[in-house]
């Protein structure tokens, strides 16, 4: 018996020693992974702060351009000339270091007025020095905009007389159209922003910024590389397969495409990983030596393991029972919601007021969207997540048939990534989509012919982008979608806020299209 116990103890020591070293390797790898995660989080914070900075500065410049538009139009309507605007531009550039040029250009691309701050000296150009800018992309694109829209250029270098200006002056241009009192096009007005001054406000030496053709426009560590093509491979990975760079691609106003990136592996992180590896190995060696002094307790471990195994079996049984109960709960919730829908349907038969009947009808649609979620859950193997592509297909097709009949000619264009949401996110998102699709079916298609388009994509920053709209007759110009008395759109705005999101109406698309960005709500339990 003693020999058998000794042999068993030795075998257990060997097994435990192997386990200790496996755990050691796991701990070393996990520590490295956690450090990388922390570094990634810091990097994400830096990129997000830089992104927010750029957006705020864009917003400020856009407001200034619109202010000058109104000012120039008012002045022109009084004097039928742009001459009196020159002194206004002069004093603006005199007091605004961020901008170096203000211009008015006619519809043919000829400069009508040009005021420039050159080496801290502001000048109003004479007519003989005004240039033809008709071949400039920012002029051509601005002239294609709708009234009130603003064109934002990419970051590039300022060009005068078809030659890149030296010393280099990185530039972002903001332009918008000018109209007279009779709504005739007068031309365009714009400001040239000194991007170097603008970008220096980011305040991080770890941030690098590339324009839309990968030219370097911000790099605190190596300013000699500015305004040249970047040679950095942003997809490069280290020896462990981890990305070396954290990259964030941003679009300003749907026009200007920039790339922000940071390096991920700093020397300090490598030093910490090395120290942790050394300390963990020493601790594991000490632990193995300690096992030799506890060999006589090995036989107790066998009984403890046996007890633990019994507990694990009991836990697994409890988990199976829990899953069964959860499925039954979801099934009953779905049935109860269907009962409520049926009760509302019965109640509507006794109501003569068509507006009230309509309110009950659309309440039924909302309840059905929630019932469908619970049905998807209890039919799924995973009770915590919902396949949102399958859910949206059933929801929208059901709405189309319910509102337009089975012989309708309305098609659904659905493009959804493989996305799974928890129920806390699925319900408000489903209600948002239910409201917007219902509005499309109710108002957009006068002849019951058209297309409803839904696109749901996951973004790189762990947020989601939803495009939803139709190709119908469009949103009424008399209605402001952010300030409306309708219950449906009010509900949409509140639900978007619940998802920590933002909703915008895409005025560039035919019909009515909304762009919604949001985040998944984290479950508390």
């Amino acid at each position: 018996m003693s020999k058998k116990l000794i042999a068993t103890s030795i075998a257990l020591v060997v097994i435990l020693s192997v386990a200790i070293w496996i755990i050691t390797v796991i701990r070393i790898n996990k520590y490295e992974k956690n450090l990388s995660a922390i570094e990634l989080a810091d990097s994400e914070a830096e990129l997000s702060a830089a992104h927010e900075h750029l957006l705020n500065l864009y917003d400020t410049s856009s407001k200034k351009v619109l202010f000058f538009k109104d000012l120039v139009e008012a002045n022109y309507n009084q004097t039928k000339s742009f001459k009196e605007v020159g002194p206004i531009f002069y004093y603006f550039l005199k007091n605004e270091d961020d901008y170096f040029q203000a211009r008015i250009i006619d519809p043919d691309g000829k400069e009508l007025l040009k005021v420039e701050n050159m080496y801290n000296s502001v000048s109003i150009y004479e007519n003989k020095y005004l240039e033809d800018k008709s071949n400039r992309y920012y002029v051509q694109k601005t002239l294609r905009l709708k009234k009130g829209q603003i064109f934002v250029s990419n970051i590039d270098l300022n060009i005068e007389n078809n030659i890149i200006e030296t010393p280099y002056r990185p530039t972002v241009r903001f332009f918008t159209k000018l109209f007279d009192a009779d709504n005739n096009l007068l031309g365009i007005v714009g400001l040239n922003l000194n991007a170097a001054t603008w970008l220096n406000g980011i305040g991080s030496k770890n941030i690098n910024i590339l324009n839309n053709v990968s030219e370097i426009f911000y790099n605190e560590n190596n300013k000699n590389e500015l305004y040249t093509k970047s040679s950095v491979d942003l997809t490069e990975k280290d020896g462990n397969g981890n990305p070396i760079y954290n990259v964030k691609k941003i679009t300003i106003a749907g026009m200007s495409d920039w790339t922000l990136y940071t390096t991920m592996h700093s020397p300090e992180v490598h030093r910490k990983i090395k120290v942790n590896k050394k300390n963990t190995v020493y601790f594991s060696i000490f632990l193995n030596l300690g096992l030799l002094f506890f060999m006589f307790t090995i036989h107790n471990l066998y009984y403890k393991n046996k007890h633990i195994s019994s507990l694990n079996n009991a836990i697994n049984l409890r988990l199976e029972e829990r899953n069964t109960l959860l499925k039954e709960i979801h099934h009953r919730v779905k049935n109860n919601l269907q009962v409520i829908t049926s009760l509302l349907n019965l109640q509507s038969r006794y109501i003569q007021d068509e507006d009230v009947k309509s309110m009950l009808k659309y309440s039924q649609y909302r309840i059905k969207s929630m019932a469908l979620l619970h049905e998807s859950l209890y039919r799924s193997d995973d009770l915590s997540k919902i396949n949102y592509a399958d859910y949206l297909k059933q929801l929208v097709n059901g709405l189309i048939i319910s509102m337009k009949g089975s012989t309708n000619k309305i098609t659904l264009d659905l493009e959804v990534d493989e996305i799974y949401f928890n129920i806390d996110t699925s319900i408000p998102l489903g209600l948002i989509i239910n409201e917007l699709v219902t509005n499309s079916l109710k108002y957009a298609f006068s002849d019951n012919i058209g297309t409803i388009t839904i696109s749901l994509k996951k973004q790189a920053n762990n947020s989601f982008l939803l495009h939803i709209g139709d190709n119908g007759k469009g949103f009424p110009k008399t209605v402001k979608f952010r300030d409306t008395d309708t219950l449906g759109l009010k509900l949409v705005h509140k639900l978007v806020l619940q998802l920590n999101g933002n909703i915008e109406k895409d005025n560039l698309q035919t019909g009515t299209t909304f762009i919604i960005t949001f985040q998944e709500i984290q479950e508390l339990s």
Side-chain angles (χ1 to χ4, degrees):
M1 182 66 182
S2 59
K3 289 182 179 180
K4 185 177 181 180
L5 184 59
I6 292 172
T8 302
S9 300
I10 292 173
L12 287 173
V13 168
V14 172
I15 293 171
L16 288 174
S17 296
V18 172
I20 287 170
W21 286 107
I22 291 174
I23 293 172
T24 299
V25 173
I26 293 173
R27 286 187 53 149
I28 291 172
N29 292 336
K30 189 173 182 180
Y31 182 83
E32 182 176 355
K33 184 178 180 180
N34 288 341
L35 270 185
S36 299
I38 293 172
E39 193 172 29
L40 175 62
D42 292 341
S43 174
E44 289 284 355
E46 288 180 341
L47 291 178
S48 295
H51 186 191
E52 186 68 24
H53 174 77
L54 296 178
L55 289 177
N56 289 338
L57 289 171
Y58 155 73
D59 185 58
T60 300
S61 295
S62 298
K63 290 177 180 177
K64 290 179 179 177
V65 168
L66 291 175
F67 168 77
F68 279 119
K69 176 189 82 72
D70 294 338
L71 187 66
V72 171
E73 288 177 346
N75 184 273
Y76 182 85
N77 289 329
Q78 289 182 354
T79 65
K80 301 303 179 182
S81 170
F82 296 116
K83 289 183 179 180
E84 294 185 12
V85 180
I88 298 174
F89 283 168
Y90 176 91
Y91 286 108
F92 171 76
L93 295 180
K94 194 82 174 175
N95 294 284
E96 288 280 354
D97 295 334
D98 288 343
Y99 303 90
F100 69 88
Q101 199 173 86
R103 288 178 291 174
I104 297 175
I105 300 173
D106 71 16
D108 295 324
K110 176 68 176 178
E111 289 180 329
L112 299 176
L113 177 65
K114 179 177 179 181
V115 184
E116 184 172 30
N117 186 342
M118 178 72 75
Y119 309 119
N120 296 322
S121 176
V122 182
S123 304
I124 300 176
Y125 279 63
E126 298 179 13
N127 288 339
K128 63 181 179 179
Y129 294 114
L130 298 178
E131 299 180 52
D132 183 359
K133 300 291 185 178
S134 59
N135 63 340
R136 297 292 192 268
Y137 74 95
Y138 52 86
V139 174
Q140 297 168 0
K141 289 189 176 181
T142 303
L143 289 172
R144 290 197 291 267
L145 294 177
K146 295 180 180 179
K147 185 177 181 180
Q149 289 183 323
I150 299 172
F151 171 76
V152 184
S153 75
N154 284 294
I155 314 178
D156 52 25
L157 298 176
N158 192 49
I159 296 177
E160 297 294 343
N161 298 310
N162 296 315
I163 299 174
I164 295 178
E165 184 182 19
T166 53
Y168 293 140
R169 186 148 50 169
T171 305
V172 179
R173 300 169 183 85
F174 294 81
F175 275 88
T176 189
K177 284 183 175 181
L178 292 171
F179 294 87
D180 63 13
D182 296 324
N183 212 29
N184 297 315
L185 179 64
L186 299 175
I188 61 176
V189 61
L191 296 174
N192 282 14
L193 178 75
N194 188 340
T197 304
W198 203 33
L199 297 175
N200 285 338
I202 291 173
S204 172
K205 292 185 177 181
N206 198 30
I207 295 286
N208 302 275
I209 298 180
L210 311 179
N211 69 355
N212 63 316
V213 291
S214 296
E215 293 171 335
I216 302 170
F217 273 79
Y218 187 81
N219 187 331
E220 278 293 323
N221 295 323
N222 192 348
K223 294 188 177 181
N224 294 328
E225 293 183 350
L226 292 179
Y227 320 127
T228 63
K229 281 280 189 180
S230 173
S231 59
V232 176
D233 180 8
L234 297 179
T235 63
E236 186 179 357
K237 297 185 178 182
D238 61 18
N240 297 324
N242 299 316
I244 294 178
Y245 302 99
N246 187 15
V247 182
K248 185 181 185 71
K249 293 186 179 293
I250 64 172
T251 299
I252 304 295
M255 298 178 184
S256 181
D257 298 317
W258 301 347
T259 300
L260 284 65
Y261 72 91
T262 61
T263 55
M264 292 291 294
H265 295 307
S266 63
E268 179 63 17
V269 170
H270 285 295
R271 186 192 69 79
K272 289 181 178 180
I273 290 173
K274 186 175 180 180
V275 170
N276 175 73
K277 185 175 182 180
K278 179 180 178 181
N279 292 339
T280 305
V281 169
Y282 284 163
F283 178 76
S284 299
I285 293 173
F286 174 79
L287 198 58
N288 271 271
L289 292 174
L291 282 173
L292 298 175
F293 295 100
F294 294 98
M295 286 183 61
F296 66 93
T297 62
I298 293 300
H299 67 282
N300 291 328
L301 295 177
Y302 170 76
Y303 297 105
K304 290 182 180 180
N305 285 336
K306 197 172 182 180
H307 179 63
I308 291 171
S309 178
S310 176
L311 289 177
N312 284 337
N313 290 334
I315 291 171
N316 288 333
L317 183 61
R318 294 280 182 87
L319 287 175
E320 289 179 4
E321 292 174 352
R322 170 187 171 274
N323 288 341
T324 301
L325 287 173
L326 283 175
K327 285 192 174 185
E328 180 62 24
I329 288 170
H330 284 298
H331 193 186
R332 292 190 180 188
V333 170
K334 174 250 183 182
N335 289 342
N336 289 340
L337 290 172
Q338 286 183 331
V339 170
I340 294 171
T341 302
S342 299
L343 290 173
L344 289 174
N345 189 41
L346 288 172
Q347 184 68 49
S348 67
R349 296 179 184 178
Y350 298 96
I351 296 174
Q352 301 300 321
D353 190 320
E354 290 300 324
D355 290 337
V356 176
K357 290 181 75 173
S358 178
M359 291 172 62
L360 290 177
K361 180 180 178 181
Y362 292 117
S363 294
Q364 286 178 279
Y365 292 148
R366 295 173 186 127
I367 294 170
K368 284 180 180 179
S369 72
M370 292 187 288
L372 184 58
L373 281 169
H374 288 283
E375 182 178 359
S376 299
L377 275 174
Y378 81 72
R379 292 185 184 279
S380 172
D381 292 332
D382 186 353
L383 293 173
S384 63
K385 296 287 184 180
I386 294 168
N387 186 321
Y388 225 70
D390 293 343
Y391 167 70
L392 284 183
K393 187 174 182 181
Q394 295 181 62
L395 174 64
V396 180
N397 282 329
L399 285 172
I400 293 173
I401 293 173
S402 295
M403 295 184 68
K404 297 297 182 181
S406 58
T407 60
N408 69 83
K409 295 182 180 180
I410 296 174
T411 58
L412 171 62
D413 184 3
L414 189 63
E415 186 179 352
V416 181
D417 288 348
E418 187 175 349
I419 294 175
Y420 293 82
F421 286 133
N422 58 43
I423 193 168
D424 289 343
T425 302
S426 297
I427 287 179
L429 182 58
L431 287 172
I432 290 170
I433 293 169
N434 177 85
E435 292 302 323
L436 297 179
V437 171
T438 301
N439 281 349
S440 293
L441 293 171
K442 186 177 179 182
Y443 301 111
F445 310 116
S446 56
D447 52 1
N448 285 343
I449 299 175
T451 301
I452 292 176
T453 303
I454 299 176
S455 170
L456 180 58
K457 303 290 183 184
K458 185 173 183 179
Q459 303 290 84
N461 58 351
N462 292 325
S463 65
F464 298 87
L465 179 64
L466 172 65
H467 283 80
I468 178 168
D470 58 66
N471 62 349
K473 57 187 178 183
F475 203 83
K477 293 183 179 180
T478 58
V479 178
K480 296 181 180 180
F481 88 99
R482 292 191 185 278
D483 185 16
T484 175
D485 293 331
T486 62
L487 173 63
L489 284 178
K490 282 187 176 181
L491 180 61
V492 168
H493 286 297
K494 289 186 180 296
L495 291 171
V496 168
L497 290 176
Q498 185 177 332
L499 292 172
N500 297 319
N502 181 57
I503 181 170
E504 299 289 344
K505 191 164 77 69
D506 190 348
N507 294 320
L508 300 179
Q509 300 296 324
T510 302
T512 301
T513 299
F514 293 95
I515 303 173
I516 301 173
T517 55
F518 66 94
Q519 295 179 341
E520 183 174 12
I521 299 174
Q522 299 300 317
E523 294 179 303
L524 298 178
S525 59

